[in-house]
Amino acid sequence: MVQINAEEESFQRRWDLAMQSFQNGDYAGALFQLKALEKDGVQEACVEIGNIYELGSGGVKKDLESAKLWYKKAIQSVGDPAGYLSYARINFFQKNYD
């Protein structure tokens, strides 16, 4: 049986709340929660933050430059494959986004 410490459980609970907010269309709430997680060392939140800025809905203005910065942070901090893909997608298709 795998033991989960209280800190990991707290991060997981906070992550679940952020994803629930996102799924409910409350992007501003999800963004707030994800930025707090990232500040606490959960670097995997960077891609999700980038996604929210890229989509721009639910109380968050679309901001491709901010999205790229967060994707780049995901790449630099944990080498996140989704960060690479998302960063490349925006750079390749940015003319179509505007």
Coordinates of all heavy atoms in Angstrom, one line a residue:
M1 N 0.8 -1.2 0.0 CA 0.0 0.0 0.0 C 0.9 1.2 0.0 O 1.8 1.3 0.7 CB -0.9 0.0 1.2 CG -1.9 1.1 1.3 SD -3.1 0.8 2.6 CE -3.6 2.4 2.9
V2 N 0.5 2.2 -0.8 CA 1.3 3.4 -1.0 C 0.8 4.4 0.1 O -0.4 4.7 0.2 CB 1.2 4.0 -2.4 CG1 1.9 5.4 -2.5 CG2 1.7 3.1 -3.4
Q3 N 1.7 5.0 0.8 CA 1.4 6.0 1.8 C 1.4 7.4 1.2 O 2.4 7.7 0.5 CB 2.4 6.0 3.0 CG 2.4 4.7 3.8 CD 1.2 4.7 4.8 OE1 0.4 5.6 4.8 NE2 1.1 3.6 5.5
I4 N 0.4 8.2 1.5 CA 0.4 9.6 1.0 C 0.4 10.5 2.2 O -0.4 10.3 3.1 CB -0.9 9.8 0.2 CG1 -0.9 8.9 -1.1 CG2 -1.0 11.3 -0.2 CD1 -2.2 9.1 -1.9
N5 N 1.4 11.4 2.2 CA 1.5 12.3 3.3 C 0.5 13.4 3.2 O -0.1 13.6 2.2 CB 3.0 12.8 3.5 CG 3.4 13.7 2.4 OD1 2.6 14.5 1.9 ND2 4.7 13.7 2.1
A6 N 0.3 14.1 4.3 CA -0.7 15.2 4.4 C -0.5 16.3 3.3 O -1.4 16.8 2.8 CB -0.7 15.8 5.8
E7 N 0.8 16.6 3.1 CA 1.1 17.6 2.1 C 0.7 17.2 0.7 O 0.1 18.0 0.0 CB 2.6 18.0 2.1 CG 3.0 19.1 1.2 CD 4.4 19.5 1.3 OE1 5.1 19.0 2.2 OE2 4.9 20.3 0.5
E8 N 1.0 16.0 0.3 CA 0.6 15.5 -1.0 C -0.9 15.4 -1.1 O -1.5 15.7 -2.2 CB 1.2 14.1 -1.2 CG 2.7 14.1 -1.4 CD 3.3 12.7 -1.5 OE1 2.7 11.8 -0.9 OE2 4.3 12.5 -2.1
E9 N -1.6 15.0 0.0 CA -3.0 15.0 -0.1 C -3.6 16.4 -0.2 O -4.6 16.5 -1.0 CB -3.6 14.4 1.2 CG -5.1 14.2 1.3 CD -5.5 13.5 2.5 OE1 -4.8 12.7 3.1 OE2 -6.7 13.7 2.9
S10 N -3.0 17.4 0.4 CA -3.5 18.7 0.3 C -3.3 19.2 -1.1 O -4.2 19.9 -1.7 CB -2.7 19.6 1.2 OG -3.0 21.0 1.0
F11 N -2.2 18.9 -1.7 CA -1.9 19.3 -3.1 C -2.9 18.7 -4.1 O -3.5 19.3 -4.9 CB -0.5 19.0 -3.6 CG 0.6 19.9 -3.0 CD1 1.8 19.4 -2.7 CD2 0.3 21.3 -2.8 CE1 2.8 20.3 -2.2 CE2 1.3 22.1 -2.3 CZ 2.5 21.6 -2.0
Q12 N -3.2 17.4 -3.8 CA -4.1 16.7 -4.7 C -5.5 17.2 -4.5 O -6.2 17.4 -5.5 CB -4.1 15.2 -4.4 CG -5.0 14.3 -5.3 CD -4.6 14.4 -6.7 OE1 -3.4 14.2 -7.0 NE2 -5.5 14.8 -7.6
R13 N -5.9 17.5 -3.3 CA -7.3 18.1 -3.1 C -7.4 19.5 -3.8 O -8.4 19.8 -4.5 CB -7.5 18.3 -1.6 CG -9.0 18.6 -1.3 CD -9.2 18.7 0.2 NE -8.7 20.0 0.8 CZ -7.6 20.2 1.4 NH1 -6.8 19.2 1.7 NH2 -7.2 21.4 1.9
R14 N -6.3 20.3 -3.7 CA -6.3 21.6 -4.3 C -6.3 21.5 -5.8 O -7.0 22.2 -6.6 CB -5.1 22.4 -3.8 CG -5.3 22.8 -2.4 CD -4.0 23.3 -1.8 NE -3.4 24.5 -2.5 CZ -2.2 24.8 -2.4 NH1 -1.3 24.2 -1.6 NH2 -1.7 25.9 -3.1
W15 N -5.6 20.5 -6.4 CA -5.5 20.2 -7.8 C -6.9 19.9 -8.3 O -7.4 20.3 -9.3 CB -4.5 19.2 -8.2 CG -4.4 18.9 -9.6 CD1 -5.2 18.0 -10.4 CD2 -3.6 19.6 -10.5 NE1 -4.8 18.1 -11.7 CE2 -3.8 19.0 -11.8 CE3 -2.6 20.5 -10.4 CZ2 -3.1 19.4 -12.9 CZ3 -1.9 20.9 -11.5 CH2 -2.1 20.4 -12.8
D16 N -7.6 18.9 -7.6 CA -8.9 18.5 -7.9 C -9.9 19.7 -7.9 O -10.8 19.8 -8.8 CB -9.4 17.4 -7.0 CG -8.6 16.1 -7.2 OD1 -7.9 15.9 -8.2 OD2 -8.7 15.3 -6.2
L17 N -9.8 20.6 -7.0 CA -10.7 21.7 -6.9 C -10.4 22.6 -8.1 O -11.4 23.2 -8.7 CB -10.5 22.5 -5.6 CG -11.0 21.9 -4.4 CD1 -10.5 22.6 -3.1 CD2 -12.5 21.8 -4.4
A18 N -9.2 22.8 -8.5 CA -8.8 23.7 -9.7 C -9.4 23.0 -10.9 O -10.0 23.8 -11.8 CB -7.3 23.8 -9.8
M19 N -9.3 21.7 -11.1 CA -9.8 21.1 -12.3 C -11.3 21.1 -12.3 O -11.9 21.3 -13.4 CB -9.3 19.6 -12.4 CG -7.8 19.5 -12.6 SD -7.2 20.3 -14.2 CE -6.6 21.8 -13.6
Q20 N -12.0 21.0 -11.2 CA -13.4 21.1 -11.1 C -13.9 22.5 -11.5 O -14.8 22.6 -12.2 CB -13.9 20.7 -9.7 CG -15.4 20.7 -9.5 CD -15.8 20.3 -8.1 OE1 -15.1 20.5 -7.2 NE2 -17.0 19.7 -8.0
S21 N -13.2 23.5 -11.0 CA -13.5 24.9 -11.4 C -13.4 25.1 -12.9 O -14.2 25.7 -13.5 CB -12.6 25.9 -10.7 OG -12.8 25.9 -9.3
F22 N -12.3 24.5 -13.5 CA -12.1 24.6 -14.9 C -13.2 24.0 -15.7 O -13.8 24.5 -16.6 CB -10.7 24.0 -15.3 CG -10.4 24.1 -16.7 CD1 -9.8 25.2 -17.3 CD2 -10.6 23.0 -17.5 CE1 -9.5 25.3 -18.6 CE2 -10.3 23.0 -18.9 CZ -9.8 24.2 -19.4
Q23 N -13.6 22.7 -15.3 CA -14.6 22.0 -16.0 C -16.0 22.7 -15.8 O -16.8 22.5 -16.7 CB -14.7 20.6 -15.4 CG -13.5 19.7 -15.8 CD -13.4 18.4 -15.1 OE1 -14.2 18.1 -14.2 NE2 -12.5 17.6 -15.5
N24 N -16.2 23.4 -14.7 CA -17.4 24.1 -14.5 C -17.4 25.5 -15.2 O -18.4 26.3 -15.1 CB -17.7 24.3 -13.1 CG -18.1 23.0 -12.4 OD1 -18.5 22.1 -13.0 ND2 -17.8 23.0 -11.1
G25 N -16.4 25.8 -16.0 CA -16.3 27.1 -16.7 C -15.8 28.3 -15.9 O -15.8 29.4 -16.3
D26 N -15.4 28.0 -14.6 CA -14.9 29.1 -13.8 C -13.3 29.1 -14.0 O -12.6 28.7 -13.1 CB -15.2 28.8 -12.3 CG -14.7 29.9 -11.4 OD1 -14.2 30.9 -11.8 OD2 -14.7 29.6 -10.1
Y27 N -12.9 29.7 -15.1 CA -11.5 29.7 -15.4 C -10.7 30.6 -14.4 O -9.6 30.4 -14.1 CB -11.3 30.2 -16.8 CG -11.6 29.2 -17.9 CD1 -12.4 28.1 -17.6 CD2 -11.3 29.4 -19.2 CE1 -12.7 27.2 -18.6 CE2 -11.6 28.5 -20.2 CZ -12.3 27.4 -19.9 OH -12.7 26.5 -20.9
A28 N -11.4 31.7 -14.0 CA -10.7 32.6 -13.0 C -10.5 31.9 -11.7 O -9.4 32.1 -11.2 CB -11.6 33.9 -12.8
G29 N -11.4 31.1 -11.3 CA -11.2 30.4 -10.0 C -10.1 29.3 -10.2 O -9.3 29.1 -9.3
A30 N -10.1 28.6 -11.3 CA -9.1 27.6 -11.6 C -7.7 28.3 -11.7 O -6.8 27.7 -11.1 CB -9.4 26.9 -12.9
L31 N -7.7 29.4 -12.3 CA -6.4 30.1 -12.5 C -5.8 30.5 -11.1 O -4.6 30.3 -10.9 CB -6.6 31.4 -13.4 CG -5.4 32.1 -13.8 CD1 -4.4 31.3 -14.6 CD2 -5.8 33.4 -14.6
F32 N -6.7 31.0 -10.3 CA -6.3 31.4 -8.9 C -5.7 30.2 -8.2 O -4.6 30.3 -7.6 CB -7.4 32.0 -8.1 CG -7.1 32.3 -6.7 CD1 -6.5 33.5 -6.4 CD2 -7.5 31.5 -5.7 CE1 -6.2 33.8 -5.1 CE2 -7.2 31.8 -4.4 CZ -6.5 33.0 -4.1
Q33 N -6.4 29.1 -8.2 CA -6.0 27.9 -7.5 C -4.7 27.3 -8.1 O -3.8 26.9 -7.4 CB -7.1 26.8 -7.5 CG -8.3 27.3 -6.7 CD -9.5 26.4 -7.0 OE1 -9.4 25.3 -7.6 NE2 -10.7 26.9 -6.6
L34 N -4.6 27.3 -9.4 CA -3.4 26.7 -10.1 C -2.2 27.6 -9.8 O -1.1 27.1 -9.6 CB -3.6 26.6 -11.6 CG -4.6 25.5 -11.9 CD1 -5.1 25.6 -13.4 CD2 -4.0 24.1 -11.7
K35 N -2.3 28.9 -9.8 CA -1.2 29.8 -9.5 C -0.7 29.6 -8.1 O 0.5 29.6 -7.9 CB -1.5 31.3 -9.8 CG -1.5 31.6 -11.3 CD -1.8 33.1 -11.5 CE -1.6 33.5 -12.9 NZ -1.8 34.9 -13.1
A36 N -1.6 29.4 -7.2 CA -1.2 29.1 -5.8 C -0.5 27.8 -5.7 O 0.6 27.7 -5.0 CB -2.4 29.1 -4.9
L37 N -0.9 26.8 -6.5 CA -0.2 25.5 -6.5 C 1.2 25.6 -7.1 O 2.2 25.1 -6.5 CB -1.0 24.4 -7.3 CG -2.2 23.8 -6.6 CD1 -3.1 23.1 -7.5 CD2 -1.7 22.8 -5.5
E38 N 1.3 26.4 -8.2 CA 2.6 26.6 -8.8 C 3.5 27.3 -7.8 O 4.7 26.9 -7.7 CB 2.4 27.4 -10.1 CG 3.7 27.5 -10.9 CD 4.6 28.6 -10.5 OE1 4.1 29.6 -10.0 OE2 5.8 28.5 -10.8
K39 N 3.0 28.3 -7.2 CA 3.8 29.0 -6.2 C 4.3 28.1 -5.1 O 5.4 28.2 -4.5 CB 3.0 30.1 -5.6 CG 3.8 31.0 -4.7 CD 3.0 32.2 -4.2 CE 3.8 33.1 -3.2 NZ 3.0 34.1 -2.6
D40 N 3.5 27.1 -4.7 CA 3.9 26.1 -3.7 C 4.8 24.9 -4.3 O 5.0 24.0 -3.6 CB 2.7 25.5 -3.1 CG 2.0 26.5 -2.2 OD1 2.6 27.5 -1.8 OD2 0.8 26.3 -1.9
G41 N 5.2 25.0 -5.5 CA 6.1 24.1 -6.1 C 5.5 23.0 -7.0 O 6.2 22.1 -7.4
V42 N 4.2 23.1 -7.3 CA 3.6 22.1 -8.2 C 3.8 22.7 -9.7 O 2.9 23.3 -10.2 CB 2.1 21.9 -7.9 CG1 1.5 20.8 -8.8 CG2 2.0 21.5 -6.4
Q43 N 4.9 22.4 -10.2 CA 5.3 22.9 -11.6 C 4.4 22.4 -12.7 O 4.2 23.1 -13.7 CB 6.7 22.6 -11.9 CG 7.7 23.3 -10.9 CD 7.5 24.8 -10.9 OE1 7.5 25.5 -11.9 NE2 7.4 25.4 -9.7
E44 N 3.7 21.3 -12.5 CA 2.8 20.7 -13.5 C 1.6 21.7 -13.7 O 0.9 21.6 -14.7 CB 2.3 19.3 -13.1 CG 3.4 18.3 -13.1 CD 4.3 18.3 -11.8 OE1 4.0 19.1 -10.9 OE2 5.3 17.6 -11.8
A45 N 1.4 22.6 -12.8 CA 0.3 23.6 -13.0 C 0.6 24.6 -14.1 O -0.4 25.1 -14.7 CB 0.0 24.3 -11.7
C46 N 1.8 24.7 -14.5 CA 2.2 25.7 -15.5 C 1.4 25.5 -16.8 O 1.0 26.4 -17.5 CB 3.7 25.7 -15.8 SG 4.6 26.3 -14.3
V47 N 1.3 24.3 -17.3 CA 0.7 24.0 -18.6 C -0.8 24.3 -18.4 O -1.4 24.9 -19.3 CB 0.8 22.5 -19.0 CG1 -0.1 22.1 -20.2 CG2 2.3 22.3 -19.4
E48 N -1.4 24.0 -17.3 CA -2.9 24.3 -17.2 C -3.1 25.8 -17.1 O -4.1 26.3 -17.7 CB -3.4 23.6 -15.9 CG -3.3 22.1 -15.9 CD -3.9 21.4 -17.1 OE1 -4.9 21.9 -17.6 OE2 -3.4 20.3 -17.5
I49 N -2.2 26.5 -16.5 CA -2.3 28.0 -16.5 C -2.2 28.5 -17.9 O -3.0 29.4 -18.3 CB -1.2 28.6 -15.5 CG1 -1.5 28.2 -14.1 CG2 -1.2 30.1 -15.7 CD1 -0.4 28.5 -13.1
G50 N -1.3 28.0 -18.6 CA -1.1 28.4 -20.1 C -2.4 28.1 -20.8 O -2.8 28.9 -21.7
N51 N -3.0 26.9 -20.6 CA -4.2 26.6 -21.3 C -5.3 27.6 -21.0 O -6.1 27.9 -22.0 CB -4.7 25.2 -20.9 CG -3.9 24.0 -21.4 OD1 -3.2 24.2 -22.4 ND2 -3.9 22.9 -20.7
I52 N -5.4 28.0 -19.8 CA -6.5 28.9 -19.4 C -6.3 30.3 -20.2 O -7.2 30.8 -20.7 CB -6.6 29.1 -17.9 CG1 -7.1 27.8 -17.3 CG2 -7.4 30.3 -17.6 CD1 -7.0 27.8 -15.7
Y53 N -5.0 30.7 -20.2 CA -4.8 32.0 -20.9 C -5.0 31.8 -22.4 O -5.4 32.7 -23.1 CB -3.4 32.5 -20.6 CG -3.2 33.2 -19.3 CD1 -2.4 32.7 -18.3 CD2 -4.0 34.4 -19.1 CE1 -2.3 33.4 -17.1 CE2 -3.9 35.0 -17.9 CZ -3.0 34.5 -16.9 OH -2.9 35.2 -15.7
E54 N -4.6 30.6 -22.9 CA -4.8 30.4 -24.4 C -6.3 30.4 -24.8 O -6.7 30.9 -25.8 CB -4.2 29.1 -24.8 CG -4.2 28.8 -26.3 CD -3.5 27.6 -26.7 OE1 -2.9 26.9 -25.8 OE2 -3.6 27.3 -27.9
L55 N -7.1 29.8 -23.9 CA -8.6 29.7 -24.2 C -9.3 31.0 -24.0 O -10.2 31.3 -24.7 CB -9.2 28.6 -23.4 CG -8.7 27.2 -23.7 CD1 -9.2 26.2 -22.6 CD2 -9.2 26.7 -25.1
G56 N -8.9 31.6 -22.9 CA -9.6 32.9 -22.6 C -11.1 32.9 -22.5 O -11.8 33.2 -23.4
S57 N -11.6 32.5 -21.4 CA -13.0 32.4 -21.1 C -13.2 32.3 -19.6 O -12.3 32.3 -18.9 CB -13.6 31.2 -21.8 OG -15.0 31.1 -21.7
G58 N -14.5 32.3 -19.2 CA -14.8 32.1 -17.8 C -14.2 33.1 -16.9 O -13.7 32.7 -15.8
G59 N -14.1 34.4 -17.3 CA -13.6 35.4 -16.4 C -12.1 35.7 -16.6 O -11.6 36.5 -15.9
V60 N -11.5 35.1 -17.6 CA -10.1 35.3 -17.9 C -10.0 35.7 -19.4 O -10.5 35.0 -20.3 CB -9.2 34.0 -17.7 CG1 -7.8 34.3 -18.1 CG2 -9.3 33.6 -16.3
K61 N -9.3 36.8 -19.6 CA -9.1 37.4 -21.0 C -8.1 36.5 -21.7 O -7.1 36.1 -21.1 CB -8.6 38.8 -20.9 CG -8.5 39.4 -22.3 CD -8.1 40.9 -22.1 CE -7.9 41.4 -23.5 NZ -7.4 42.8 -23.5
K62 N -8.4 36.2 -23.0 CA -7.4 35.5 -23.8 C -6.1 36.3 -23.9 O -6.2 37.5 -24.2 CB -8.0 35.2 -25.2 CG -7.2 34.4 -26.1 CD -8.0 34.2 -27.4 CE -7.3 33.1 -28.2 NZ -8.1 32.8 -29.4
D63 N -5.0 35.6 -23.6 CA -3.7 36.3 -23.7 C -2.6 35.3 -24.1 O -2.1 34.5 -23.3 CB -3.4 36.9 -22.3 CG -2.1 37.7 -22.2 OD1 -1.3 37.6 -23.1 OD2 -1.9 38.3 -21.2
L64 N -2.4 35.3 -25.4 CA -1.4 34.3 -25.9 C 0.0 34.5 -25.5 O 0.7 33.5 -25.3 CB -1.5 34.3 -27.5 CG -2.8 33.9 -28.1 CD1 -2.8 34.0 -29.6 CD2 -3.3 32.5 -27.6
E65 N 0.4 35.7 -25.2 CA 1.8 36.0 -24.7 C 1.9 35.4 -23.3 O 2.9 34.8 -23.0 CB 2.1 37.4 -24.8 CG 2.3 38.0 -26.2 CD 3.2 37.2 -27.0 OE1 4.4 36.9 -26.6 OE2 2.9 36.9 -28.2
S66 N 0.9 35.6 -22.5 CA 1.0 35.0 -21.1 C 0.9 33.4 -21.2 O 1.7 32.7 -20.5 CB -0.2 35.4 -20.3 OG 0.0 36.8 -19.9
A67 N 0.1 32.9 -22.1 CA 0.1 31.5 -22.3 C 1.4 30.9 -22.7 O 1.9 29.9 -22.1 CB -1.0 31.1 -23.4
K68 N 2.1 31.6 -23.6 CA 3.4 31.2 -24.1 C 4.4 31.2 -22.9 O 5.3 30.3 -22.8 CB 3.9 32.0 -25.3 CG 3.2 31.7 -26.5 CD 3.7 32.3 -27.8 CE 4.5 33.5 -27.8 NZ 4.9 34.0 -29.1
L69 N 4.4 32.2 -22.1 CA 5.3 32.3 -20.9 C 5.1 31.2 -20.0 O 6.0 30.6 -19.5 CB 5.1 33.6 -20.2 CG 5.6 34.9 -20.9 CD1 5.1 36.1 -20.1 CD2 7.1 34.9 -21.1
W70 N 3.8 30.8 -19.7 CA 3.5 29.7 -18.8 C 3.9 28.3 -19.4 O 4.5 27.5 -18.8 CB 2.1 29.7 -18.4 CG 1.9 30.7 -17.3 CD1 1.3 32.0 -17.5 CD2 2.2 30.6 -16.0 NE1 1.3 32.6 -16.3 CE2 1.8 31.9 -15.3 CE3 2.8 29.7 -15.2 CZ2 2.0 32.1 -14.0 CZ3 3.0 29.9 -13.8 CH2 2.6 31.1 -13.2
Y71 N 3.7 28.2 -20.7 CA 4.1 26.9 -21.4 C 5.7 26.8 -21.4 O 6.2 25.8 -21.1 CB 3.7 26.9 -22.9 CG 2.2 26.8 -23.0 CD1 1.5 27.4 -24.1 CD2 1.4 26.0 -22.2 CE1 0.2 27.2 -24.3 CE2 0.1 25.8 -22.4 CZ -0.6 26.4 -23.4 OH -1.9 26.3 -23.6
K72 N 6.3 28.0 -21.6 CA 7.8 28.0 -21.5 C 8.3 27.6 -20.1 O 9.3 26.9 -20.0 CB 8.3 29.3 -22.0 CG 9.8 29.4 -22.2 CD 10.2 30.7 -22.9 CE 11.7 30.7 -23.2 NZ 12.1 31.9 -23.9
K73 N 7.6 28.1 -19.1 CA 8.0 27.8 -17.8 C 7.8 26.3 -17.5 O 8.7 25.7 -16.8 CB 7.1 28.6 -16.8 CG 7.6 28.5 -15.3 CD 6.9 29.5 -14.5 CE 7.5 29.4 -13.1 NZ 7.0 30.5 -12.2
A74 N 6.8 25.7 -18.0 CA 6.6 24.2 -17.9 C 7.7 23.5 -18.6 O 8.1 22.4 -18.1 CB 5.2 23.8 -18.5
I75 N 8.1 24.0 -19.7 CA 9.2 23.3 -20.4 C 10.5 23.4 -19.6 O 11.2 22.4 -19.4 CB 9.4 24.0 -21.8 CG1 8.2 23.7 -22.7 CG2 10.7 23.5 -22.5 CD1 8.1 24.6 -24.0
Q76 N 10.8 24.6 -19.1 CA 12.1 24.8 -18.4 C 12.1 24.1 -17.0 O 13.1 23.6 -16.6 CB 12.3 26.3 -18.3 CG 12.6 27.0 -19.6 CD 12.6 28.5 -19.5 OE1 12.1 29.1 -18.6 NE2 13.3 29.1 -20.4
S77 N 10.9 24.1 -16.4 CA 10.9 23.5 -15.0 C 10.9 22.0 -14.9 O 11.5 21.4 -14.1 CB 9.8 24.1 -14.2 OG 8.6 23.8 -14.7
V78 N 10.0 21.4 -15.8 CA 9.9 19.9 -15.7 C 9.9 19.2 -17.1 O 9.7 18.0 -17.2 CB 8.5 19.5 -15.0 CG1 8.6 19.9 -13.5 CG2 7.3 20.2 -15.7
G79 N 10.3 20.0 -18.1 CA 10.4 19.4 -19.4 C 9.0 18.8 -19.9 O 9.0 17.7 -20.6
D80 N 8.0 19.4 -19.6 CA 6.6 18.9 -19.8 C 6.3 18.8 -21.3 O 6.3 19.8 -22.0 CB 5.6 19.8 -19.2 CG 4.2 19.2 -19.1 OD1 3.7 18.8 -20.1 OD2 3.6 19.2 -18.0
P81 N 6.0 17.6 -21.8 CA 5.8 17.4 -23.3 C 4.6 18.3 -23.7 O 4.6 18.8 -24.8 CB 5.5 15.9 -23.4 CG 6.1 15.3 -22.3 CD 6.0 16.3 -21.1
A82 N 3.5 18.4 -22.9 CA 2.4 19.2 -23.3 C 2.8 20.7 -23.4 O 2.2 21.4 -24.2 CB 1.3 19.0 -22.2
G83 N 3.7 21.1 -22.6 CA 4.2 22.5 -22.7 C 4.9 22.7 -24.0 O 4.7 23.7 -24.7
Y84 N 5.8 21.7 -24.4 CA 6.4 21.8 -25.7 C 5.4 21.9 -26.9 O 5.5 22.8 -27.8 CB 7.3 20.6 -26.0 CG 8.7 20.7 -25.3 CD1 8.9 19.9 -24.2 CD2 9.7 21.4 -25.8 CE1 10.2 19.9 -23.6 CE2 10.9 21.4 -25.2 CZ 11.2 20.7 -24.1 OH 12.4 20.7 -23.5
L85 N 4.4 21.0 -26.8 CA 3.4 21.0 -27.9 C 2.6 22.3 -27.9 O 2.4 22.8 -29.0 CB 2.5 19.8 -27.7 CG 1.4 19.6 -28.7 CD1 2.0 19.4 -30.1 CD2 0.5 18.4 -28.3
S86 N 2.2 22.7 -26.8 CA 1.3 23.9 -26.7 C 2.1 25.2 -27.2 O 1.6 26.0 -27.9 CB 0.8 24.1 -25.3 OG 0.0 23.0 -25.0
Y87 N 3.4 25.3 -26.7 CA 4.2 26.4 -27.1 C 4.4 26.4 -28.6 O 4.3 27.5 -29.2 CB 5.5 26.3 -26.4 CG 6.4 27.5 -26.5 CD1 6.2 28.7 -25.8 CD2 7.5 27.5 -27.4 CE1 7.0 29.8 -26.0 CE2 8.3 28.6 -27.6 CZ 8.1 29.7 -26.9 OH 8.9 30.8 -27.1
A88 N 4.7 25.3 -29.2 CA 4.9 25.2 -30.6 C 3.6 25.5 -31.4 O 3.7 26.2 -32.4 CB 5.4 23.8 -31.0
R89 N 2.5 25.0 -30.9 CA 1.2 25.2 -31.6 C 0.9 26.7 -31.6 O 0.5 27.2 -32.7 CB 0.1 24.5 -30.8 CG -1.3 24.7 -31.5 CD -2.4 24.0 -30.7 NE -2.5 24.6 -29.4 CZ -2.3 24.0 -28.2 NH1 -2.0 22.7 -28.2 NH2 -2.4 24.6 -27.1
I90 N 1.1 27.4 -30.5 CA 0.8 28.9 -30.5 C 1.7 29.6 -31.5 O 1.3 30.4 -32.3 CB 0.9 29.5 -29.1 CG1 -0.3 29.1 -28.3 CG2 1.0 31.0 -29.2 CD1 -0.2 29.6 -26.9
N91 N 3.0 29.3 -31.5 CA 4.0 29.9 -32.3 C 3.7 29.6 -33.8 O 3.8 30.5 -34.7 CB 5.4 29.5 -32.0 CG 5.9 30.3 -30.8 OD1 5.7 31.5 -30.6 ND2 6.5 29.6 -29.9
F92 N 3.3 28.4 -34.1 CA 3.0 28.0 -35.5 C 1.7 28.6 -36.0 O 1.7 29.1 -37.2 CB 3.0 26.5 -35.6 CG 2.9 26.0 -37.0 CD1 4.0 26.0 -37.8 CD2 1.7 25.6 -37.5 CE1 4.0 25.5 -39.1 CE2 1.6 25.1 -38.8 CZ 2.8 25.1 -39.6
F93 N 0.7 28.7 -35.2 CA -0.6 29.1 -35.6 C -1.0 30.5 -35.1 O -2.2 30.9 -35.3 CB -1.7 28.1 -35.2 CG -1.6 26.8 -35.9 CD1 -1.2 25.6 -35.2 CD2 -1.9 26.6 -37.2 CE1 -1.1 24.4 -35.8 CE2 -1.8 25.4 -37.8 CZ -1.4 24.3 -37.1
Q94 N -0.1 31.2 -34.5 CA -0.5 32.5 -33.9 C -1.2 33.4 -34.8 O -2.1 34.1 -34.4 CB 0.7 33.2 -33.3 CG 0.3 34.4 -32.4 CD 1.3 34.7 -31.4 OE1 2.5 34.4 -31.5 NE2 1.0 35.5 -30.4
K95 N -0.9 33.5 -36.1 CA -1.6 34.3 -37.0 C -3.0 34.0 -37.1 O -3.9 34.9 -37.3 CB -0.9 34.2 -38.4 CG 0.4 34.8 -38.5 CD 1.0 34.6 -39.9 CE 2.5 35.0 -39.9 NZ 3.1 34.7 -41.2
N96 N -3.4 32.7 -36.9 CA -4.8 32.3 -37.0 C -5.6 32.6 -35.7 O -6.8 32.6 -35.7 CB -4.9 30.8 -37.4 CG -4.3 30.5 -38.7 OD1 -4.4 31.3 -39.6 ND2 -3.8 29.3 -38.9
Y97 N -4.8 32.8 -34.6 CA -5.5 33.1 -33.4 C -6.1 34.5 -33.3 O -7.0 34.7 -32.6 CB -4.5 32.9 -32.2 CG -4.4 31.5 -31.7 CD1 -3.3 30.7 -32.0 CD2 -5.3 30.9 -30.9 CE1 -3.1 29.4 -31.5 CE2 -5.2 29.7 -30.4 CZ -4.1 28.9 -30.7 OH -4.0 27.7 -30.2
D98 N -5.4 35.4 -33.9 CA -5.8 36.8 -33.8 C -7.0 37.2 -34.6 O -7.7 36.7 -35.2 CB -4.6 37.7 -34.3 CG -3.4 37.5 -33.4 OD1 -3.6 37.2 -32.2 OD2 -2.3 37.7 -33.9

